[in-house]
Amino acid sequence: VFCYALSQNDGTEWRQRIQSEAEHFIDVSSTSSDVIAKMINKDGIQILINLNGYTKGARNEIFAMQPAPIQVSYMGFPGTTGADYIDYLVTDEFVSPLRYAHIYSEKLVHLPHCYFVNDYKQKNRDVLDPHCQHKRSDYGLPEDKFIFACFNQLYKMDPEIFNTWCNILKRVPNSALWLLRFPAAGETRLRAYAAAQGVQPEQIIFTDVAMKHEHIRRSALADLCLDTPLCNAHTTGTDVLWAGLPMVTLPLEKMATRVAGSLCLATGLGEEMIVNSMKEYEERAVSLALNRLTLQALTNKLKAARLTCPLFDTARWVRNLERSYFKMWNLYCSGQQPQHFKVTENDFDFPYNR
């Protein structure tokens, strides 16, 4: 495994770990793209993974030079690259159903369960300890209110979902919506918009963005997470589910609108958290808030599933990803063109089975 780092060393724990644990780690942050492409080719890379797509710091021109025989998009960009030099997109059947294959330029590789990798079992086990929980008073949150939460960046919100949230707040007595100053400039605008919809000022609560570890632990202080349909919670979605906080999510057609639904399904409790329309979204949120026993049962099931469900089984996910790489390579070696395929855990056509 070769890791080519396009960004300079930022001194973070993860950078140090990847740098020390990867078989080959090469910092190419100050190297020109054509030289990087030659280096990749000389290193004999068979499958080259694009972890950026169209995000900050990306160097897609390296892939345009096609230094490796198989080129794959994964994780960084939740959508198609539209690039004829990217062969595959690693995803799953819920996030990118074959019926929407026309949206993508890549061939779709469907991993079992959920394509979205995480590492909470190793990194954030303190969340599982009932004696290590934060209290609402630690953050100035009201003890007596039903708290809906959305920890997504504010750009993911559009008038339709915010209007729906306002309707929910007006229908659920003594409720509040907990948002992040992400960015801080959005707070005054959203407060004014909510007030114009008839929402009381104390029903909108903003707090500062926290460090990852603290953010996950404090997420459990809310009662229900409300997802943003136009661009879902991705990492934030896994954060809240690991914290044991159920969510309501509405999948649409594009990849970025379906990720939270996949996360929910991979907990085994998707049917209770996924809705099919904006009207159903509002009704589900209100119903769960007004039926505390139903919501508590869902919360308890989610918390109980964390150590066994596929969503948080990193070793299982790694095995399935490696199966997909072997399948890509076998197709290439047999002279076949890239094609859609599905990875199954019990299929011995895949040469990699532990």
Side-chain angles (χ1 to χ4, degrees):
V1 176
F2 285 69
C3 289
Y4 301 94
L6 298 176
S7 58
Q8 293 181 341
N9 191 337
D10 57 5
T12 57
E13 174 198 352
W14 287 109
R15 175 67 175 230
Q16 305 315 314
R17 284 187 59 179
I18 294 168
Q19 199 163 314
S20 63
E21 295 174 18
E23 291 173 89
H24 306 274
F25 184 94
I26 304 126
D27 185 336
V28 293
S29 58
S30 58
T31 307
S32 65
S33 295
D34 60 326
V35 172
I36 297 171
K38 288 174 183 170
M39 187 185 304
I40 290 168
N41 187 259
K42 186 169 178 287
D43 288 336
I45 301 303
Q46 294 159 312
I47 301 175
L48 185 63
I49 315 298
N50 187 332
L51 293 172
N52 288 86
Y54 304 113
T55 60
K56 184 179 179 182
R59 298 263 210 110
N60 293 305
E61 64 272 18
I62 295 168
F63 290 80
M65 290 181 253
Q66 295 184 274
I70 299 172
Q71 303 196 143
V72 182
S73 177
Y74 176 66
M75 194 68 162
F77 185 71
T80 184
T81 60
D84 59 8
Y85 49 80
I86 300 290
D87 303 301
Y88 293 104
L89 173 68
V90 173
T91 181
D92 63 56
E93 281 190 284
F94 185 85
V95 170
S96 309
L98 280 179
R99 69 180 182 276
Y100 296 142
H102 61 279
I103 293 174
Y104 302 90
S105 59
E106 304 87 356
K107 297 303 180 186
L108 302 176
V109 174
H110 286 154
L111 295 187
H113 318 299
C114 181
Y115 85 104
F116 205 83
V117 70
N118 64 76
D119 195 29
Y120 298 104
K121 260 188 196 176
Q122 292 187 69
K123 188 73 181 147
N124 298 98
R125 292 187 73 90
D126 62 309
V127 173
L128 305 172
D129 184 353
H131 304 295
C132 277
Q133 304 302 319
H134 286 307
K135 298 190 292 292
R136 283 187 174 183
S137 57
D138 297 336
Y139 297 96
L141 296 169
E143 298 283 359
D144 60 337
K145 285 188 186 295
F146 186 96
I147 297 183
F148 298 100
C150 180
F151 301 126
N152 294 349
Q153 293 191 57
L154 301 183
Y155 79 82
K156 294 187 175 186
M157 300 166 192
D158 69 311
E160 185 179 18
I161 193 61
F162 203 82
N163 288 339
T164 300
W165 290 350
C166 291
N167 291 344
I168 292 166
L169 290 171
K170 288 185 284 187
R171 291 178 60 186
V172 177
N174 204 29
S175 63
L177 175 62
W178 182 13
L179 302 170
L180 297 185
R181 297 184 180 100
F182 200 8
E187 180 176 355
T188 53
R189 298 181 71 105
L190 288 177
R191 285 191 180 281
Y193 191 95
Q197 303 299 310
V199 173
Q200 298 304 308
E202 67 273 11
Q203 288 187 280
I204 305 292
I205 300 168
F206 275 90
T207 53
D208 291 326
V209 174
M211 295 296 287
K212 178 82 167 175
H213 190 70
E214 182 186 5
H215 159 66
I216 295 170
R217 285 175 59 188
R218 76 179 185 183
S219 296
L221 297 173
D223 295 297
L224 184 63
C225 177
L226 299 177
D227 188 34
T228 42
L230 281 190
C231 187
N232 290 174
H234 290 57
T235 304
T236 307
T238 50
D239 289 343
V240 301
L241 293 171
W242 179 251
L245 179 64
M247 73 163 80
V248 178
T249 187
L250 169 61
L252 302 174
E253 291 186 356
K254 294 177 183 175
M255 186 173 183
T257 73
R258 303 181 64 82
V259 173
S262 176
L263 302 176
C264 290
L265 283 170
T267 67
L269 301 165
E271 288 186 10
E272 297 183 60
M273 295 187 273
I274 298 171
V275 296
N276 297 306
S277 68
M278 195 62 81
K279 179 66 177 166
E280 191 184 343
Y281 182 109
E282 181 177 327
E283 296 304 325
R284 181 74 57 89
V286 171
S287 173
L288 286 170
L290 298 180
N291 295 278
R292 299 300 289 270
L293 289 177
T294 303
L295 177 59
Q296 191 59 54
L298 173 57
T299 304
N300 292 344
K301 283 186 286 185
L302 178 59
K303 287 181 175 179
R306 287 177 292 187
L307 287 177
T308 55
C309 70
L311 180 61
F312 300 117
D313 192 338
T314 312
R316 183 177 187 174
W317 179 91
V318 170
R319 286 195 296 272
N320 289 325
L321 184 70
E322 290 182 344
R323 287 186 175 105
S324 80
Y325 291 159
F326 277 106
K327 176 73 171 179
M328 293 173 196
W329 186 245
N330 283 349
L331 287 169
Y332 175 79
C333 290
S334 63
Q336 298 182 64
Q337 293 298 308
Q339 55 190 256
H340 303 306
F341 68 85
K342 174 182 174 179
V343 175
T344 54
E345 293 173 306
N346 57 358
D347 185 347
F348 288 94
D349 286 344
F350 291 90
Y352 178 82
N353 280 283
R354 281 182 188 157

